[in-house]
């Protein structure tokens, strides 16, 4: 079973990882469009469109979180199974 705090922490973790994946998607830099603002590097975004990226991140994170929460709550993967798997990976097959 997963308590609400664990669920929120899992969601926050998934959301931030998803944000790191979504941020560079469809990115056009100031150097790409040829309009570099003084005092900024050419690699700075020309049009970040942050609101759309946040919405995309949230939708994707909810989907990923739902799958992970289902796997955790259903007991499909247990702590004992993960411990056994890592033990076999480190020390070899018994």
């Amino acid at each position: 079973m997963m308590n609400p705090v664990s669920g929120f922490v899992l969601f926050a973790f998934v959301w931030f990882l998803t944000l790191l994946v979504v941020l560079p998607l469809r990115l056009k830099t100031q150097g790409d469009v040829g309009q570099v603002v003084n005092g900024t590097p050419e690699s700075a975004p020309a049009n970040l469109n942050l609101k759309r990226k946040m919405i995309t991140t949230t939708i994707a994170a909810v989907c990923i979180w739902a799958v992970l929460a289902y796997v955790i709550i259903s007991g499909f993967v247990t702590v004992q199974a993960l411990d056994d798997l890592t033990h076999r990976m480190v020390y070899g097959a018994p």
Side-chain angles (χ1 to χ4, degrees):
M1 192 66 184
M2 181 169 45
N3 65 28
V5 174
S6 298
F8 176 76
V9 169
L10 179 64
F11 179 76
F13 180 75
V14 169
W15 190 89
F16 279 107
L17 283 180
T18 306
L19 178 65
L20 292 175
V21 171
V22 170
L23 275 176
L25 297 178
R26 297 185 181 181
L27 178 68
K28 291 187 179 179
T29 64
Q30 293 178 10
D32 291 341
V33 297
Q35 298 175 338
V36 180
V37 177
N38 288 335
T40 62
E42 288 185 7
S43 60
N47 185 8
L48 185 57
N49 204 359
L50 192 58
K51 183 177 180 181
R52 183 177 182 144
K53 290 185 187 256
M54 292 293 178
I55 292 170
T56 303
T57 298
T58 302
I59 292 169
V62 166
C63 296
I64 295 167
W65 176 83
V67 171
L68 291 174
Y70 174 75
V71 168
I72 291 170
I73 292 171
S74 70
F76 183 70
V77 176
T78 62
V79 173
Q80 183 62 40
L82 291 174
D83 187 40
D84 292 342
L85 177 66
T86 56
H87 188 271
R88 281 192 303 251
M89 289 172 61
V90 172
Y91 300 111

